[in-house]
Amino acid sequence: MSRIGFYTVYVISFLPLPVLYGFARILELVFKTIWPYRNQVIRDQILKCFPDYTPTQIAQLTSRYYRHLSEIIVESVKNLSMSKTQLLKRIYIENPE
């Protein structure tokens, strides 16, 4: 990633989480409609795991996957500007050895 790209993402990370979750919804729509990220792979894996699911259930699960992916992306961006104490409030590490 270029310096300009990194600093742009870094500045965006200072936005409050509700605003970033709004960006996540936009990113979710991009993944679902404009740029269908790994759509066929996701559907194939769902069919392998849940062969008895109806097409409606598969579409719902695919949509939930895209929402989760977009939220992980914006939460990772937010982690760039969080202090150590803020991170420790949100993250619990079990068995840190």
Side-chain angles (χ1 to χ4, degrees), residues 68-87:
H68 183 68
L69 175 65
S70 62
E71 287 177 353
I72 287 174
I73 290 170
V74 297
E75 288 169 357
S76 298
V77 168
K78 181 64 178 173
N79 287 340
L80 292 173
S81 65
M82 292 179 105
S83 69
K84 184 177 180 179
T85 55
Q86 289 174 323
L87 283 173

Side-chain angles (χ1 to χ4, degrees), residues 35-84:
W35 182 51
Y37 176 75
R38 297 172 48 112
N39 193 24
Q40 193 58 45
V41 173
I42 294 165
R43 290 182 183 276
D44 290 344
Q45 293 299 319
I46 291 172
L47 280 172
K48 286 179 184 177
C49 294
F50 307 106
D52 55 338
Y53 270 24
T54 65
T56 304
Q57 290 173 313
I58 292 171
Q60 288 174 343
L61 198 54
T62 303
S63 180
R64 287 176 45 199
Y65 167 78
Y66 284 128
R67 175 168 287 186
H68 183 68
L69 175 65
S70 62
E71 287 177 353
I72 287 174
I73 290 170
V74 297
E75 288 169 357
S76 298
V77 168
K78 181 64 178 173
N79 287 340
L80 292 173
S81 65
M82 292 179 105
S83 69
K84 184 177 180 179

